[in-house]
């Protein structure tokens, strides 16, 4: 089982279940995420959609490089566009969404979290938009979302540094909404989400409809998918190939 969907008190919790790969996203996880979002959007008992990773090490290490590292040309572009579509759907989800960052988040794992309305991180988590060190850019629309959600200079700084940051630094730049205790992680995130889950569905959906306006403009959608197309071009570059070489040799 690559992922699972559970329900707790109005919260639908989607868990990526690949701790041995630091919860990297492969095609099976993409399919499971798509199904989970469809179910959670349609289910009137669900008030909040939350995403986390299995185990104690990682939230998500981004795209599965053992599965995607070999893709080239059209195949690479299709993979990036597919996940881009899913993150755009998450960004415009009709109910509040939360990334429960329970450990390391790297590359596309940071993009997955950025697509959510809120990001709560377990203390000690390391978070990095590391794509720039791999000879690529954010391939799932992450930069467009970052530029819209953070002050411009802070967003650009994260992308250009391309290095793992502490949870405290990510909170200071506005990416993390709250850092929660490792010992009381499960209890604390439930406490944080309870007030949202206590609102009526019609109120939640009305606010999300208002919030969604800015993502639904033609301008934003075009920028989002143009970013993905630019990453697809870089995916086949020598710089990316060289950066992946040690990883691909191992796998
Ligand atoms: C495709 C979209 C693109 C985007 O838009 O951003 C991407 O997401 S590209 C991928 C970007 N992600 C990364 O570059 C992260 C790579 N991984 C790491 O840096 C580290 O593994 C970690 C996430 C910081 C965790 O470090 P640590 O706790 O020390 O664990 P290990 O390094 O020993 O890893 C354990 C195990 O997991 C495998 N792994 C980790 N990340 C990935 C991944 N993204 N894809 C596939 N497999 C991954 C790693 O290879 C180890 O496997 P074994 O050696 O077989 O145990």
């Amino acid at each position: 089982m690559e992922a699972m969907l559970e329900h707790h008190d109005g919260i639908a919790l989607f868990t990526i279940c690949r701790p041995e790969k630091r919860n990297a996203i492969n095609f099976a996880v993409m399919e499971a995420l798509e199904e989970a979002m469809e179910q959670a959007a349609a289910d009137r008992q669900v008030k909040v959609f939350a995403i986390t990773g299995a185990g104690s090490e990682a939230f998500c290490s981004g795209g599965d490089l053992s599965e995607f590292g070999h893709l080239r040309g059209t195949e690479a572009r299709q993979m990036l566009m597919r996940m881009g579509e899913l993150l755009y759907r998450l960004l415009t989800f009709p109910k509040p969404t939360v990334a429960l960052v329970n450990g390391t988040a790297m590359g596309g794992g940071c993009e997955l979290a950025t697509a959510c309305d809120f990001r709560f991180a377990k203390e000690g988590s390391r978070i990095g938009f590391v794509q720039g060190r791999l000879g690529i850019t954010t391939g799932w629309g992450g930069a467009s979302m970052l530029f819209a959600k953070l002050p411009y200079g802070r967003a650009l700084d994260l992308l250009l540094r391309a290095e793992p940051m502490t949870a405290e630094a990510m909170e200071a730049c506005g990416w993390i909404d709250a850092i929660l205790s490792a010992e009381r992680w499960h209890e604390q995130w439930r406490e944080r989400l309870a007030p949202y889950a206590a609102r009526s569905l019609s109120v939640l959906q009305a606010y999300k409809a208002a919030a969604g306006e800015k993502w639904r403009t033609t301008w934003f959608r075009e920028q989002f998918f143009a970013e993905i197309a630019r990453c697809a071009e870089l995916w086949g570059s020598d710089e990316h190939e060289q950066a992946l070489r040690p990883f691909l040799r191992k796998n």
Side-chain angles (χ1 to χ4, degrees), residues 116-121 170-171 174-179 192 196:
C116 294
D117 295 316
F118 303 103
R119 283 157 293 286
F120 299 145
M170 293 302 275
E171 186 183 36
W175 190 82
I176 283 177
D177 295 287
I179 299 176
R192 285 271 171 168
Y196 307 152

Side-chain angles (χ1 to χ4, degrees), residues 22 27 103 197 217:
R22 300 299 181 261
F27 285 119
T217 63

Side-chain angles (χ1 to χ4, degrees), residues 201-235:
L201 195 55
S202 45
V203 166
L204 295 172
Q205 289 184 329
Y207 275 131
K208 282 303 308 271
E213 290 298 317
K214 74 183 212 188
W215 311 120
R216 290 199 185 86
T217 63
T218 308
W219 179 86
F220 180 81
R221 238 192 102 85
E222 280 178 6
Q223 173 187 314
F224 185 92
F225 287 101
E227 174 191 337
I228 297 175
R230 278 192 293 273
C231 178
E233 292 295 315
L234 294 176
W235 196 268

Side-chain angles (χ1 to χ4, degrees), residues 1-243:
M1 180 180 45
E2 308 277 277
M4 64 180 179
L5 184 65
E6 297 165 288
H7 295 86
H8 305 269
D9 304 327
I11 301 162
L13 178 65
F14 178 78
T15 305
I16 305 174
C17 302
R18 309 185 73 217
E20 73 291 351
K21 296 262 182 191
R22 300 299 181 261
N23 299 316
I25 295 176
N26 60 2
F27 285 119
V29 173
M30 287 187 195
E31 203 174 311
L33 178 61
E34 184 168 24
E35 270 176 31
M37 283 197 288
E38 268 169 28
Q39 274 185 33
D43 185 342
R44 293 192 59 79
Q45 301 302 313
V46 172
K47 305 280 193 66
V48 177
F49 183 63
I51 301 179
T52 197
S56 56
E57 299 288 331
F59 168 69
C60 173
S61 60
D64 185 329
L65 295 172
S66 54
E67 201 166 313
F68 301 157
H70 301 280
L71 301 180
R72 289 289 168 271
T74 312
E75 282 181 339
R77 189 186 164 97
Q78 283 172 345
M79 175 278 289
L80 295 170
M81 287 290 174
R82 169 139 198 241
M83 191 63 190
E85 283 289 355
L86 291 181
L87 290 198
Y88 185 79
R89 217 176 288 174
L90 186 57
L91 187 67
T92 54
F93 200 72
K95 300 172 183 180
T97 55
V98 185
L100 298 171
V101 182
N102 59 313
T104 306
M106 291 291 151
C110 296
E111 297 179 80
L112 174 66
T114 305
C116 294
D117 295 316
F118 303 103
R119 283 157 293 286
F120 299 145
K122 187 157 85 177
E123 59 186 346
S125 298
R126 302 279 291 173
I127 295 140
F129 284 86
V130 294
Q131 292 88 344
R133 286 173 191 248
L134 296 174
I136 52 169
T137 49
T138 41
W140 294 340
S144 303
M145 296 187 282
L146 262 194
F147 284 125
K149 291 191 175 197
L150 296 192
Y152 172 77
R154 297 206 167 169
L156 191 58
D157 180 65
L158 288 179
L159 296 168
L160 298 184
R161 279 181 186 279
E163 64 190 5
M165 312 278 282
T166 62
E168 288 74 15
M170 293 302 275
E171 186 183 36
C173 79
W175 190 82
I176 283 177
D177 295 287
I179 299 176
L180 308 181
S181 126
E183 288 78 45
R184 297 184 57 231
W185 168 246
H186 293 283
E187 195 183 334
Q188 287 197 343
W189 69 251
R190 286 203 173 97
E191 279 168 16
R192 285 271 171 168
L193 299 187
Y196 307 152
R199 302 282 72 78
S200 69
L201 195 55
S202 45
V203 166
L204 295 172
Q205 289 184 329
Y207 275 131
K208 282 303 308 271
E213 290 298 317
K214 74 183 212 188
W215 311 120
R216 290 199 185 86
T217 63
T218 308
W219 179 86
F220 180 81
R221 238 192 102 85
E222 280 178 6
Q223 173 187 314
F224 185 92
F225 287 101
E227 174 191 337
I228 297 175
R230 278 192 293 273
C231 178
E233 292 295 315
L234 294 176
W235 196 268
S237 67
D238 289 346
E239 187 185 346
H240 184 49
E241 213 156 290
Q242 270 180 29

